[in-house]
Amino acid sequence: MKRVWGSLSPVGVIVGGILLALSLTPSLLPRPAVLQGVGSGVVFGLGYAAGAGASGLVAWLTRWRPSKVLGRRLRIIAWSVLAVVVVLAAVGGVAAQNEVRRMVELAPLDNVNVFGFVVALLLTTLLCLGAGRLVRVGWLRTQQSMVKRGRSPGRARRAATGRAVLAILATLALLTGVGYVLLDRIYYGTNAYPTDGLASPESTYRSAGAGSAVAFDQLGRHGGNFITGGPTAEKISELTGKPALTPARVYVGIAAGGTLADHASTAVRELERTGGFDREVLVVATTTGSGWLEPQAVDAVEYLHSGNTAIVALQYAYTPSFVTAATDPTLPAETTSALFTAVRAKWLTLPEDHRPKLVVYGLSLGSQGIMNSFGTLDALLTRTDGVLLVGPTNSAPLWRTLQANRDAGSPPWQPVHDAGQRVRWASGFGDFEKLTGPWASPRVAILQHATDPITWLGPELIWQSPEWLAEGNRAPDVSPAMRWIPVVTAIQVGIDMMVAEEVPARHGHNFGDVMLQGWQAVTGDGGLDQAALDRIQKVIESYAVISPAQV
């Protein structure tokens, strides 16, 4: 072990240590200890590779090699610097995390999970260094083998480098494939069937209920929860003080078999059976990658319109959004297109004065599916009666276009587009009303938080400082101490994605603060007074169960 650690590049250790320290600086959200350890280990590994690579390149160009004594001293200096940097950064890191917690309205930490952080850091660091060592050993043996077979050192070095790159790419491809298969099996086991203990609903207003062509055991976990969940007519009346209907909910799972067109046709027949086309508001919803529909959103619109609503959705996968987006990025848009086209075709056959308000809704990857399906703002406005997009993803071209074309002087976290005439953003309660000009119908409402990593993580964050951290563009709940650091910030925000919902409903990927306001903007207030709206708001915000992050 001493020989292994002693053979590490001193420059690599110092560069890795500096980047490790930088990885403990503030980002958008508080980071749990274990995740922070993993992220810091990856950052150290990348820093070590960069430092060792630069050191090796200089040595090759100059032909200079340190003596054994100098090499030993350099290693002592390197490890001493690393120890000091890590200690100082850890102390500062706790303060930084408490500052971020304050920004997102979480209490400061009472204790520090040092053990979890250290174990995760060491394991990740060893894994990264081990992978690097395997690549280096393979490269050296390949080079030596070629020299023995008569190749010149220069040609052998170039050929060994090419083979090493191919080996790395092949290994990454293999690991990615194995990882996907494992994730697929894991999430099939957790999401493919309804939760144990749930039974098919008796209501005729729900898929898998009385007279339904949809089998309950084909709904998946999230579909089963959606169909059996939500407020009853009695609960709605109790909250609003008005008579209410039982909301109609339609859901078709991928286990039903057949094509997307088959699922869409089944969904339309279910809407007809449940009376969905006779309701005041008909919501065509695009789920997240695993088939989830956020209760804060679906319950809010049902409360707002006293149950005179129908919500329809198709499941297109059972893996998490990040897996679905990586393995089949066009699937959310294809599903949205198939469902909305089928529903709208039936909707157009109804007398104009008997058509429900036809709106679309999507959260996260669901919002991306909607934007990619319609393609343009004009298509959204001409084919729907309203659009609610929540926590949009950075990779949606339409979102990027709207952000890029925002009015001068408006920040990226709360843009203004054409003075808010067609589309408006809300990052906090009351934001829609800040613009005093007309907002024509149909409306597009986008809910996005300045601290939502799902919205702000893009590949350019690796090499380019983002607008939302620029002077004058920083939101009030983003730590003033957060600074863009090449590569490091992208990894930090990637870690933030994993805890994006573990914050109060005013930050991160948690939208209970503005969800009701979004539905009001798109579908109207349902004839409710302010007292009733306040009661609904309180209930919806209570859905967020906070699991405080630990350093």
Side-chain angles (χ1 to χ4, degrees), residues 288-343:
T288 64
S290 58
W292 184 58
L293 289 170
E294 185 185 33
Q296 286 180 325
V298 292
D299 289 11
V301 71
E302 291 172 344
Y303 278 121
L304 183 63
H305 292 281
S306 300
N308 197 0
T309 59
I311 303 173
V312 57
L314 300 182
Q315 181 189 23
Y316 52 85
Y318 42 77
T319 50
S321 292
F322 76 92
V323 177
T324 306
T327 57
D328 201 345
T330 64
L331 189 55
E334 292 170 355
T335 303
T336 301
S337 181
L339 178 59
F340 182 79
T341 299
V343 171

Side-chain angles (χ1 to χ4, degrees), residues 430-487:
D431 283 350
F432 287 137
E433 288 71 38
K434 289 180 179 178
L435 300 178
T436 57
W439 188 5
S441 293
R443 296 173 170 182
V444 174
I446 301 178
L447 310 181
Q448 67 181 37
H449 285 153
T451 52
D452 185 358
I454 291 170
T455 294
W456 306 115
L457 180 62
E460 65 278 1
L461 197 58
I462 296 173
W463 64 83
Q464 179 179 316
S465 180
E467 284 187 293
W468 45 272
L469 282 180
E471 185 69 27
N473 282 340
R474 190 184 297 261
D477 55 346
V478 174
S479 170
M482 183 179 181
R483 295 290 182 268
W484 177 73
I485 305 165
V487 180

Side-chain angles (χ1 to χ4, degrees), residues 377 381 387 402 405-408 410 414-426 431-446 521-522:
L377 179 59
L381 293 170
V387 180
L402 292 173
N405 295 333
R406 69 184 188 273
D407 295 354
S410 62
Q414 193 176 14
V416 177
H417 186 275
D418 289 339
Q421 297 180 65
R422 301 190 296 169
V423 56
R424 294 188 183 184
W425 283 257
D431 283 350
F432 287 137
E433 288 71 38
K434 289 180 179 178
L435 300 178
T436 57
W439 188 5
S441 293
R443 296 173 170 182
V444 174
I446 301 178
V522 172

Side-chain angles (χ1 to χ4, degrees), residues 30 36 44 62 79 93 101 120 135 191 197 203 254 292 299 309 380 400 428 468 492 494 510-511 523 527 541:
Q36 178 64 69
F44 177 86
T62 62
W79 288 108
R101 293 177 69 86
V135 171
N191 289 337
S203 172
I254 55 177
W292 184 58
D299 289 11
T309 59
L380 281 170
R400 285 178 170 258
W468 45 272
Q492 288 178 320
N510 198 338
F511 294 91
T523 65
E541 284 200 34

Side-chain angles (χ1 to χ4, degrees), residues 13 32 91 144 174 207 232 319 329 467 474 497 502 511 518 526 530:
V13 170
V91 174
Q144 292 167 358
L174 177 62
S207 288
T232 63
T319 50
E467 284 187 293
R474 190 184 297 261
M497 288 179 63
E502 297 191 6
F511 294 91
Q530 190 58 51

Side-chain angles (χ1 to χ4, degrees), residues 153-179:
R155 292 183 61 190
R157 187 181 297 109
R158 289 192 294 272
T161 300
R163 292 189 181 186
V165 171
L166 290 176
I168 291 171
L169 293 176
T171 302
L172 289 175
L174 177 62
L175 291 176
T176 300
V178 172

